[in-house]
């Protein structure tokens, strides 16, 4: 026994070292961003990205940006305060760059330099419509006005490339498509944005909380130094602010619950045994499961999501049951090997049931579920081995039956042991429970909306809406996805989309629409522009314009190079990265009030379709829920087969009916208090199933070895530890965490009571009846 325990201890040290090395070296990055949950599905189509992958890429890009809107009723005061705040934020570690669209002129100059060589291939929609109708006179008159305007920026170089001053109109329209980006006058106030780009590693390295804290300090300082009579206000939005607010709320809850649960479990074990040795045994068992689970996940997967770790660690809570079932055995003269022999069959069957249940998740296409499965299976096996090889090496400590918890248990046990039903009634009840659970899981209302999963922050939500309404920035990033065989076909589709959306932009249904085709017209469109410019401007108005300018007007060169959306373009304008994702082009929409109207407007454009990221991610979580539900059903079938093979038809049905009944009551109780079913509540049912199955299996197996009393005490202690570890989550302010805790708080006590009813024990019981 000592040799096997020593070998297993060495293996645990190796696994711990490997896991620590994987995480610290960056080979297995732990990611807590919810975006990491999406777009990682196993797929056979590697050539074309799914909608969820495209959403993930775009949201990752958006996550690297934050927006702060400064408002005041005095423009000079607004400019001074905005520049000071932007300077403070630029000096905060984690800020990559800060831009002030309301004051920076560099972007316009950059655009002019980029487009000027191609000016005779570019037309604004207004100029194109005029020339297409054969009405070039307004275009010519505008060119003349530009020549003599007091603030004209016309130079010899611009006249040579663009004698009819077509480029300014194109750039003005481009700015309109980009949305409000300068100083806006609204509601008797001036408003201007500060656009912040974050360093790529800010959130990955966990520095986002510190960054947000310093930004909030800078905003507070700006507000304290401003004259409030000027109507000075500041609003902010960005994923980083929402993520930090959510994490802060969740962290506060988890820390409070973890402290209470840990102290409670420590107090429970010490009050039952009056010795620290059983507590050490429990910690070793749980620790071995955690080590093995992390090592397995880091070995198989490149990255680990924090939710997988949390669920995995929660599932390892089942290992507490394994340790307690050994620790409560009487301290008699039996050898450690003999003591282990009395519980080995129960532990083995409980482990097999749990492993089979979680193995179903491993075949899911959802990487998150596969990570939970691997973590749980490896951890439970490790905890099982620890109980067999390590705990017998610890000195035995007896339960102090006169202490508070054993006394309370004895009274409850005496009451529940009276729940004796005939075998046939139990079998019929088990069938009714299984049928009721199947009906419930199929027809109970579900809600996978991601807006209902988090804590939410009313202040940030209000400010985000204000910035969206005022500046046309931020908000729900609805977009149109354009697929095509090549870049030019996608650009042409983008131009068709813009034509279809123009009436919606005009009537305010869409605030603005901006795609790659707005920046880079298709070659077909450039050819059309060149023909219109040549036929309707140069051939008709060049003789009239020539005497007015100091250069010779040259007819456009038909062989001039085209403007392309190539690598050089993306280098000069990295902000275009969020308009193309692999072989997909994106049209970003702002301030959309009616998504159905947008979908209808582009319905006839086959290569384009509207994508709502919130709806897409919600569908993804629904997909996760469906897989988890199917896995739960398969786990029940497997558990039923194992139970019937071990105990016979009726007794096996009763064993299966216990966790099923616990899950049924948990679902009904959750629905009664307004908790809807989603992926996370289904995963909580997995916990109820695994722990509830252990309860009834341990009850059943104990009757074969004459250890009913210690086993029932161990199950009672396990119930207390599980309620402390999981049930307290119901008090969390984060809806998804609270829902998990509520499911556990209802399901586990139900499983405990049903274990008595479905597997009755009594000193006077007929062994053939049980």
């Amino acid at each position: 026994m000592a040799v096997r325990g020593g070998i297993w201890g060495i293996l645990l040290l190796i696994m711990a070292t490997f896991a620590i090395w994987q995480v610290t070296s960056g080979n297995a990055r732990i990611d807590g961003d919810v975006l990491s949950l999406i777009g990682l599905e196993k797929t056979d189509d590697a050539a074309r990205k799914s909608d969820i992958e495209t959403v993930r890429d775009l949201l990752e890009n958006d996550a690297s940006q934050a927006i702060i809107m400064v408002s005041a009723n005095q423009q000079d005061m607004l400019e001074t305060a905005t520049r000071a705040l932007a300077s403070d934020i630029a000096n905060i570690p984690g800020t990559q760059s800060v831009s002030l669209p309301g004051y920076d002129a560099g972007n316009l100059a950059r655009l002019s330099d980029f487009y000027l060589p191609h000016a005779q291939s570019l037309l604004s929609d207004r100029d194109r419509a005029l020339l297409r109708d054969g009405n070039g006179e307004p275009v010519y008159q505008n060119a003349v006005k530009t020549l003599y305007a007091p603030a004209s920026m016309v130079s010899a170089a611009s006249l040579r490339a663009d004698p009819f001053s077509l480029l300014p109109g194109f750039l003005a329209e481009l700015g309109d498509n980009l949305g409000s980006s300068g100083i806006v006058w609204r509601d008797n106030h001036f408003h201007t944005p500060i656009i912040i780009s974050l360093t790529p590693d800010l959130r990955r390295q966990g520095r986002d909380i510190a960054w947000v804290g310093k930004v909030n300090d800078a905003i507070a300082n700006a507000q304290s130094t401003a004259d409030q009579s000027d109507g000075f206000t500041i609003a902010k939005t960005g994923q980083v602010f929402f993520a930090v607010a959510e994490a802060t709320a969740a962290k506060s809850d988890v820390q409070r619950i973890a402290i209470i649960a840990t102290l409670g479990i420590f107090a429970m074990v010490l009050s039952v045994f009056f010795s620290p040795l059983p507590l050490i045994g429990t910690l070793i068992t749980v620790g071995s499961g955690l080590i093995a689970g992390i090592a397995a996940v880091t070995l198989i997967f490149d990255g680990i999501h924090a939710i997988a770790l949390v669920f995995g660690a929660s599932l390892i809570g089942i290992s507490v049951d394994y340790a307690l079932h050994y620790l409560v055995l009487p301290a008699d003269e039996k050898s450690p090997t003999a003591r282990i022999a009395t519980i080995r069959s129960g532990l083995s069957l409980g482990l097999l049931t749990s492993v089979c249940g979680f193995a179903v998740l491993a075949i899911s296409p959802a990487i998150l579920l596969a990570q939970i499965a691997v973590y749980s299976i490896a951890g439970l096996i490790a905890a099982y081995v620890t109980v067999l090889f390590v705990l017998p090496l610890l000195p035995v400590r007896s339960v102090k039956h006169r202490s508070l918890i054993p006394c309370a248990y004895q009274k409850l046990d005496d009451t529940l042991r009276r729940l004796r039903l005939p075998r046939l009634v139990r079998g019929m009840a088990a069938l009714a429970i299984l049928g009721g659970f199947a009906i419930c899981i199929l027809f109970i209302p579900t809600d996978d909306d991601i807006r209902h999963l988090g804590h939410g922050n009313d202040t940030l939500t209000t400010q985000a809406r204000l910035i969206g309404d005022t500046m046309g920035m931020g908000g729900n990033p609805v977009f149109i996805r354009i697929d095509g065989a090549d870049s030019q076909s996608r650009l042409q589709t983008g131009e068709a989309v813009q034509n279809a959306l123009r009436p919606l932009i005009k009537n305010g249904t869409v605030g603005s629409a901006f795609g790659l085709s707005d920046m880079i017209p298709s070659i077909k469109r450039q050819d059309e522009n060149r023909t219109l410019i040549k036929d309707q401007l140069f051939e008709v108005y060049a003789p009239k314009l020539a005497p007015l300018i100091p250069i010779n007007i040259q007819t456009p060169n038909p062989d001039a190079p085209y403007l392309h959306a190539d690598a050089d373009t993306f280098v000069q304008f990295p902000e275009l990265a969020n308009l193309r994702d692999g072989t997909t082009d994106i049209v970003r929409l702002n301030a959309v009030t009616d998504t159905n109207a947008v979908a209808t407007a582009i319905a006839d454009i086959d290569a384009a379709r509207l994508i709502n990221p919130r709806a897409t991610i919600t569908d993804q979580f629904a997909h996760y829920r469906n897989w988890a539900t199917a896995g739960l059903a398969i786990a029940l079938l497997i558990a039923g087969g194992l139970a019937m093979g071990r105990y016979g038809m009726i007794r096996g049905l009763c064993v299966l009916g216990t966790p099923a009944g616990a899950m049924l009551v948990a679902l009904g109780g959750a629905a009664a208090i307004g908790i809807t079913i989603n992926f996370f509540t289904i995963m909580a049912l997995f916990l109820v199933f695994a722990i509830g199955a252990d309860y009834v299996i341990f009850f059943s197996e104990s009757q074969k070895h004459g250890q009913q009393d210690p086993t029932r005490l161990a199950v009672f202690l396990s119930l207390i530890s599980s309620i402390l570890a999981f049930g307290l989550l119901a008090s969390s302010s984060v809806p998804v965490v609270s829902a998990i805790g509520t499911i556990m708080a209802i399901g586990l006590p139900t499983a405990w009571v049903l274990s008595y009813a479905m597997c009755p024990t009594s000193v006077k019981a007929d062994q053939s009846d049980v």
Side-chain angles (χ1 to χ4, degrees):
M1 183 72 72
V3 174
R4 288 183 296 181
I7 294 174
W8 178 240
I10 293 172
L11 290 176
L12 286 175
L13 287 175
I14 294 173
M15 285 188 284
T17 302
F18 173 76
I20 293 172
W21 173 74
Q22 284 284 83
V23 174
T24 56
S25 66
N27 292 330
R29 181 172 59 90
I30 298 177
D31 198 339
D33 188 355
V34 71
L35 296 180
S36 301
L37 289 174
I38 64 176
L40 298 177
E41 313 316 298
K42 304 169 187 174
T43 177
D44 296 328
D45 186 3
R48 180 179 178 274
K49 285 193 174 184
S50 65
D51 287 347
I52 195 67
E53 289 177 293
T54 301
V55 167
R56 180 176 185 269
D57 291 345
L58 289 178
L59 292 184
E60 278 190 336
N61 185 279
D62 289 348
S64 65
Q65 186 180 83
I67 302 172
I68 293 178
M69 184 179 74
V70 184
S71 307
N73 53 27
Q74 299 292 329
Q75 185 170 352
D76 55 347
M77 184 266 187
L78 176 74
E79 179 175 354
T80 301
T82 301
R83 291 190 182 279
L85 179 58
S87 176
D88 290 341
I89 294 175
N91 293 324
I92 297 175
T95 301
Q96 184 171 3
S97 64
V98 175
S99 62
L100 300 173
Y103 310 107
D104 295 339
N107 196 44
L108 178 61
R110 182 169 59 118
L111 288 170
S112 298
D113 293 341
F114 174 74
Y115 283 115
L116 188 60
H118 307 279
Q120 296 182 23
S121 297
L122 305 173
L123 284 173
S124 66
D125 287 339
R126 171 187 174 278
D127 291 347
R128 185 183 305 106
L130 289 171
L131 297 182
R132 189 179 292 141
D133 293 339
N135 185 15
E137 181 65 25
V139 180
Y140 165 72
Q141 292 297 335
N142 183 69
V144 174
K145 291 179 181 178
T146 301
L147 286 173
Y148 297 105
S152 175
M153 300 296 291
V154 173
S155 64
S158 65
L159 284 175
R160 192 173 294 108
D162 183 24
F164 285 93
S165 296
L166 300 172
L167 185 58
F170 175 83
L171 293 178
E173 190 172 86
L174 183 62
D176 291 338
N177 290 336
L178 283 167
S180 301
S181 60
I183 299 178
V184 174
W185 172 257
R186 180 174 175 174
D187 298 331
N188 297 318
H189 282 75
F190 293 98
H191 312 269
T192 192
I194 300 174
I195 310 298
I196 308 165
S197 294
L198 311 177
T199 56
D201 59 352
L202 180 67
R203 297 184 67 182
R204 185 170 60 250
Q205 294 183 355
R207 295 185 290 120
D208 50 344
I209 295 178
W211 185 87
V212 169
K214 292 179 180 179
V215 169
N216 288 337
D217 290 342
I219 291 175
N221 180 64
Q223 291 174 324
S224 65
T225 57
D227 187 347
Q228 299 303 314
S229 63
D230 289 328
F232 185 80
T233 60
I234 298 176
K236 61 180 182 290
T237 190
Q239 289 185 25
V240 64
F241 296 116
F242 283 97
V244 168
E246 193 73 30
T248 301
K251 183 178 179 181
S252 175
D253 286 344
V254 170
Q255 286 179 339
R256 171 179 54 83
I257 293 169
I259 291 173
I260 296 174
T262 302
L263 293 177
I265 293 174
F266 281 11
M268 180 194 74
V269 174
L270 291 174
S271 66
V272 170
F273 295 97
F274 281 30
S275 170
L277 286 176
L279 180 60
I280 293 172
T282 302
L283 294 176
I284 291 174
T285 304
V286 175
S288 65
L290 295 174
I291 290 171
I294 295 175
V297 174
T298 55
L299 177 64
I300 296 174
F301 300 98
D302 295 333
I304 319 166
H305 198 275
I307 290 181
L309 291 179
V310 170
F311 268 111
S314 299
L315 294 166
I316 299 305
I318 303 170
S319 62
V320 173
D321 297 356
Y322 299 171
L324 289 173
H325 277 280
Y326 176 80
L327 294 171
V328 300
L329 291 174
D332 49 25
E333 300 300 324
K334 290 183 180 180
S335 67
T337 302
R339 289 162 58 84
I340 282 291
T342 62
I343 63 170
R344 181 182 287 114
S345 60
L347 291 180
S348 300
L349 187 57
L351 173 68
L352 182 60
T353 302
S354 297
V355 167
C356 289
F358 297 132
V360 175
L361 298 180
I363 64 175
S364 163
I367 298 298
L368 174 63
L369 298 185
Q371 288 186 358
I372 291 174
V374 170
Y375 194 117
S376 303
I377 291 171
L380 290 178
I381 292 175
Y384 172 81
V385 174
T386 298
V387 171
L388 295 185
F389 295 164
V390 178
L391 293 196
L393 302 178
L394 298 177
V396 178
R397 293 292 183 267
S398 298
V399 173
K400 305 301 180 182
H401 291 283
R402 294 187 178 181
S403 61
L404 177 62
I405 292 179
C407 287
Y409 151 75
Q410 195 62 56
K411 293 181 180 180
L412 292 171
D413 182 66
D414 291 341
T415 301
L416 292 174
R417 287 173 69 186
R418 297 188 179 96
L419 294 175
R420 293 188 50 77
L421 300 173
R423 293 182 64 191
L424 184 59
V425 173
R426 280 183 273 142
M428 294 177 64
L431 287 174
I433 286 173
L434 291 171
F437 177 70
I439 293 172
C440 185
I441 205 71
L442 288 174
F443 296 104
I444 195 169
T446 59
D447 182 7
D448 301 290
D449 195 330
I450 59 171
R451 292 175 300 178
H452 302 158
L453 299 181
H455 175 268
N457 186 292
D458 293 338
T459 301
L460 287 176
T461 301
T462 300
Q463 291 184 3
R465 187 178 296 114
L466 175 63
I467 293 173
D469 292 342
T470 305
M471 306 298 304
M473 297 178 172
N476 185 26
V478 179
F479 66 90
I480 293 173
R481 171 175 180 160
I482 298 174
D483 295 306
D486 55 71
S487 173
Q488 289 304 312
S489 66
R490 295 194 298 273
L491 289 174
Q492 291 178 33
T493 301
E495 292 162 352
V497 165
Q498 289 288 9
N499 290 334
L501 295 179
R502 195 163 287 115
L504 299 182
I505 296 174
K506 186 176 181 180
N507 65 26
T509 302
V510 177
S512 63
F514 186 68
L516 194 59
S517 60
D518 291 293
M519 291 282 290
I520 312 293
S522 66
I523 290 179
K524 179 181 178 182
R525 174 64 59 85
Q526 292 182 56
D527 278 334
E528 293 173 353
N529 291 341
R530 289 181 180 187
T531 300
L532 288 173
I533 292 170
K534 175 179 176 295
D535 295 344
Q536 301 298 326
L537 282 181
F538 276 83
E539 293 186 357
V540 179
Y541 295 99
K544 297 172 61 176
L545 184 63
L548 303 178
I549 59 177
I551 63 169
N552 294 325
I553 298 179
Q554 298 181 356
T555 303
N557 179 11
D559 298 324
Y562 292 103
L563 186 63
H564 289 282
D566 53 18
D568 291 339
T569 299
F570 285 96
V571 168
Q572 294 188 56
F573 296 96
E575 58 267 31
L576 297 184
N578 66 352
L579 300 178
R580 172 164 289 176
D581 187 40
T583 59
T584 298
D585 283 3
I586 304 299
V587 178
R588 304 294 294 262
L589 308 180
N590 278 320
V592 178
T593 59
D594 187 350
T595 55
N596 291 330
V598 176
T600 300
I602 64 172
D604 295 333
I605 305 175
D606 293 335
R609 67 179 184 278
L610 180 68
I611 303 295
N612 185 333
R614 188 184 70 232
T616 302
I617 298 175
T618 295
D619 290 343
Q620 184 76 354
F621 275 103
H623 176 64
Y624 287 159
R625 174 179 50 78
N626 290 334
W627 260 102
T629 303
L632 186 58
I634 295 172
L636 278 171
L637 291 175
I638 294 174
L642 292 172
M644 292 178 191
R646 175 71 173 172
Y647 306 114
M649 178 65 72
I650 295 180
R651 185 91 176 275
L653 279 175
C654 292
V655 169
L656 183 62
T658 298
M663 291 188 291
L664 176 60
V665 173
L667 282 174
I673 60 177
I675 295 177
T676 52
I677 304 306
N678 53 42
F679 162 72
F680 296 98
T681 51
I682 294 296
M683 291 308 301
L685 290 181
F686 254 101
L687 287 169
V688 174
F689 160 74
I691 298 175
D694 280 351
Y695 289 173
V696 71
I697 287 173
F698 293 150
F699 268 50
S700 298
E701 288 297 315
S702 68
Q703 295 175 17
K704 295 179 178 292
H705 302 286
Q707 295 293 339
Q708 295 98 319
D709 288 339
T711 297
R712 293 197 304 274
L713 175 58
V715 169
F716 180 70
L717 297 179
S718 298
L719 174 66
I720 294 176
S721 64
S722 296
I723 292 297
L724 288 171
F726 305 124
L728 286 174
L729 296 177
S731 65
S732 173
S733 61
V734 180
V736 64
V737 177
S738 177
I740 293 171
T742 302
I743 292 287
M744 300 293 291
I746 297 173
L748 295 185
T750 303
W752 179 61
V753 173
L754 285 177
S755 295
Y756 279 90
M758 291 297 184
C759 186
T761 60
S762 172
V763 293
K764 300 178 181 180
D766 180 0
Q767 292 300 312
S768 65
D769 182 60
V770 298

